[in-house]
Amino acid sequence: MTGLTPENQTVPTTAPATKHVPELGPPVKPKRNKYAFACAILASMTSILLGYDIGVMSGALIYIKRDFRITDLQVSILAGILNIFSLIGSCAAGKTSDWIGRRNTIVFAGAIFFAGAILMGLAPNYAFLMFGRFVAGVGVGYALMIAPVYTAEVAPASSRGFLTSFPEVFINAGIMLGYVSNLAFSKFPLKLGWRFMLGVGSVPSVLLAIGVLAMPESPRWLVIQGRLGEAKRVLDRTSDSPSEAALRLEEIKEAAGIPADCHDEVVQVSRKTSHGSGVWKELLIRPTPAVCRVMIAAMGIHFFQQATGIDAVVLFSPRIFKTAGLKTDHQQLLATVAVGIVKTSFILVATFLIDRVGRRPLLLTSVGGMILSLAALGTSLTIIDHTEKKVTWALVLSITTVMTYVATFSIGAGPITWVYTSEIFPLRLRSQGSSMAVVVNRVTSGVISMTFLLLSEAMTTGGAFYLFGGIATVAWVFFYTFLPETQGRSLEDMDELFSGFRWRDSKSKPKNNKNSSSNPQVEIGPNKL
């Protein structure tokens, strides 16, 4: 009965596995699992916290600079330092989520960000504002790491890409809310307006903490804690069919070292498995070739996502539009809101394409569009910078290419980075591996955010975007040669995929997609974790 699964693997000959395989029949597209959808929505809402902070800070910086009379260097540090502070949360989130669970870690992230937003809104001076950003940054670090991990572990294979792209959707929704908040409070008195902009960020964190309490715990975390009964009940509700739920449970049990014939409600699991002991050695000191490749892929995709300049555009859109020729605060903020609308719209398009088109084609197309947009943006800003008179066509081209840049980013590089990282790590390494990838993401974002204004002064704003375009070109080559297609593969099957990957094999969709069963969402495959 080979060739009946998405992974194109031979079905094990043991009786329990063969019972799960459906009879041959015409392909039937599975319906979206509404419960898994709701869980993914709630978990991914955590990402609103980061998005709101990025979006609202872009406009708040205009008024903070005037109120506290700070320099461009201080503005740059204030804008980007949250990413550096978030490293603490990202590094701690892996261990925390293994100890207290994925769901409780999400609640913890919301509580920390709530405190940070309040402190920022009440800040009487620059130093106190920096302390508030430190607290908020820790919460953001927790949220960034845990949302895609939880969603990937809950989602069925048939819609995993769709559901794990939600964190990026909500980052964009948060950015959009931040831009709208800037516009709404821009007419307030100077000392109140930016404080309201930042303080309002505490509201989503409260709603998030309440909503998350209705979510189940991750079935994979429950299994590595030995709570098989609870895991089975969660899988029954989050899988597309009973047969898929049974297969997912068998695969997770095997990955966790629990015998397949064990059906107890609760079993004793070694401390090493349940609390992630020895994981760092497996990741960094003695990784297998497959794990080494996974680490390079995860860190590479996170590095290039940020090194191509997305946070510079999002944070400093008003400054970019001012350079392009928009003079008033209102014009700059209005154009920035338009950026948020475009960015959010295209991320929604991406969520419906990821599981249809595949990760690689969408990612490569996205980065190709970013390269062209960055080259055109750099050219238009350079022309404006070297021309004394107003060049209307260059102004229009600058605004248009900012829009196309965020659109092409949002349709691929934005969501696929989080989807890909949440998929490729083995079960025992997933929390800590994902946290390391997020560390790379935040460090790169922090460096870009804190150096963009200085870079613009040193080599002009147009020159900075030429640099980002060059980095995007290197990123395209890396993605093309190093990242295999993961569409339709089970989370427990990634070790084999990365062990034998050759870039020529992934120029198109995996062959196994052509020979799918009548239930293409069923995960069957060897577990080599």
Side-chain angles (χ1 to χ4, degrees):
M1 298 179 68
T2 58
L4 296 180
T5 69
E7 292 78 6
N8 201 23
Q9 303 291 331
T10 302
V11 177
T13 55
T14 55
T18 55
K19 289 180 181 178
H20 296 312
V21 180
E23 295 296 328
L24 288 172
V28 178
K29 184 179 179 180
K31 294 181 179 179
R32 297 283 185 197
N33 185 298
K34 294 180 180 179
Y35 186 71
F37 182 90
C39 292
I41 286 282
L42 287 172
S44 301
M45 283 178 66
T46 315
S47 303
I48 283 182
L49 305 181
L50 172 64
Y52 184 84
D53 185 90
I54 293 173
V56 78
M57 191 55 69
S58 69
L61 286 172
I62 298 172
Y63 305 103
I64 292 172
K65 182 179 182 180
R66 294 173 187 169
D67 191 10
F68 290 158
R69 299 178 182 178
I70 56 179
T71 65
D72 272 351
L73 177 60
Q74 290 174 305
V75 168
S76 298
I77 293 173
L78 185 63
I81 198 68
L82 180 130
N83 297 298
I84 306 302
F85 291 150
S86 71
L87 298 181
I88 299 172
S90 296
C91 291
K95 196 68 175 178
T96 303
S97 65
D98 279 342
W99 275 89
I100 67 174
R102 297 0 179 187
R103 182 181 67 173
N104 291 335
T105 302
I106 294 174
V107 176
F108 189 47
I112 296 174
F113 187 85
F114 172 82
I118 295 296
L119 290 172
M120 288 191 292
L122 297 175
N125 53 49
Y126 182 79
F128 196 94
L129 182 58
M130 288 289 285
F131 175 69
R133 287 190 70 67
F134 166 76
V135 176
V138 174
V140 164
Y142 269 100
L144 271 177
M145 177 271 176
I146 198 59
V149 169
Y150 174 89
T151 306
E153 294 185 345
V154 168
S158 64
S159 55
R160 191 174 62 238
F162 174 71
L163 296 180
T164 50
S165 65
F166 279 11
E168 185 69 16
V169 172
F170 281 100
I171 287 176
N172 283 272
I175 290 172
M176 185 64 206
L177 289 174
Y179 289 161
V180 171
S181 178
N182 289 154
L183 203 58
F185 295 113
S186 62
K187 300 299 183 182
F188 277 51
L190 179 62
K191 292 185 177 295
L192 289 179
W194 66 264
R195 287 184 166 85
F196 277 115
M197 294 175 190
L198 299 180
V200 167
S202 62
V203 176
S205 60
V206 174
L207 299 176
L208 168 71
I210 295 173
V212 165
L213 295 176
M215 290 164 35
E217 184 51 83
S218 156
R220 286 176 169 84
W221 184 81
L222 291 171
V223 169
I224 63 176
Q225 300 302 312
R227 294 155 61 177
L228 301 186
E230 291 179 60
K232 182 181 183 304
R233 287 188 285 274
V234 174
L235 287 169
D236 286 340
R237 298 192 69 184
T238 59
S239 299
D240 291 328
S241 68
S243 59
E244 185 195 13
L247 282 170
R248 288 174 71 186
L249 181 59
E250 288 174 14
E251 291 182 332
I252 298 169
K253 283 160 63 177
E254 183 177 339
I258 299 173
D261 58 356
C262 178
H263 301 292
D264 297 338
E265 279 284 315
V266 180
V267 298
Q268 188 68 33
V269 179
S270 69
R271 184 180 180 84
K272 180 178 179 180
T273 299
S274 63
H275 292 93
S277 302
V279 166
W280 294 115
K281 182 182 292 185
E282 293 182 49
L283 281 172
L284 301 177
I285 300 175
R286 295 178 181 174
T288 64
V291 169
C292 184
R293 193 176 192 104
V294 165
M295 285 294 297
I296 295 172
M299 290 185 173
I301 195 170
H302 274 275
F303 169 78
F304 284 118
Q305 185 203 47
Q306 294 299 327
T308 49
I310 186 61
D311 276 2
V313 172
V314 172
L315 269 171
F316 298 108
S317 286
R319 182 74 69 100
I320 294 169
F321 290 132
K322 182 178 181 180
T323 302
L326 298 182
K327 299 302 182 183
T328 69
D329 290 351
H330 185 74
Q331 288 176 335
Q332 294 160 19
L333 293 177
L334 205 58
T336 301
V337 169
V339 170
I341 293 172
V342 171
K343 201 168 186 299
T344 303
S345 300
F346 277 86
I347 190 65
L348 291 174
V349 173
T351 61
F352 292 98
L353 293 178
I354 286 177
D355 283 322
R356 296 181 181 182
V357 176
R359 283 53 159 166
R360 268 177 63 93
L362 207 56
L363 180 62
L364 294 173
T365 302
S366 165
V367 177
M370 290 164 59
I371 293 170
L372 297 176
S373 297
L374 287 167
L377 179 57
T379 300
S380 60
L381 290 175
T382 300
I383 291 171
I384 291 171
D385 190 50
H386 288 81
T387 306
E388 294 183 3
K389 295 181 180 180
K390 183 177 180 180
V391 185
T392 304
W393 69 264
L395 168 62
V396 173
L397 181 61
S398 296
I399 297 173
T400 302
T401 50
V402 168
M403 303 298 177
T404 58
Y405 170 71
V406 297
T408 51
F409 174 88
S410 295
I411 207 166
I416 290 174
T417 296
W418 303 103
V419 172
Y420 207 84
T421 307
S422 66
E423 291 178 328
I424 62 179
F425 282 102
L427 173 61
R428 280 201 355 83
L429 310 181
R430 189 165 297 138
S431 295
Q432 284 88 339
S434 296
S435 69
M436 289 184 64
V438 172
V439 166
V440 172
N441 186 289
R442 292 298 89 199
V443 168
T444 309
S445 175
V447 170
I448 295 295
S449 300
M450 288 190 288
T451 60
F452 177 71
L453 294 182
L454 301 177
L455 194 64
S456 297
E457 291 177 6
M459 58 188 303
T460 74
T461 305
F465 284 110
Y466 279 135
L467 176 62
F468 293 146
I471 295 172
T473 303
V474 177
W476 193 96
V477 174
F478 174 79
F479 297 153
Y480 186 78
T481 58
F482 206 82
L483 301 189
E485 178 61 75
T486 58
Q487 181 187 13
R489 305 299 291 257
S490 76
L491 295 181
E492 283 65 48
D493 197 28
M494 294 298 168
D495 184 81
E496 181 184 12
L497 178 62
F498 274 84
S499 295
F501 172 68
R502 298 293 181 272
W503 67 269
R504 291 180 180 85
D505 300 332
S506 290
K507 288 190 288 185
S508 59
K509 289 186 180 181
K511 293 179 181 178
N512 53 338
N513 287 342
K514 298 177 183 179
N515 298 321
S516 60
S517 69
S518 59
N519 264 340
Q521 75 278 15
V522 177
E523 299 177 5
I524 305 176
N527 303 306
K528 298 183 179 182
L529 301 184

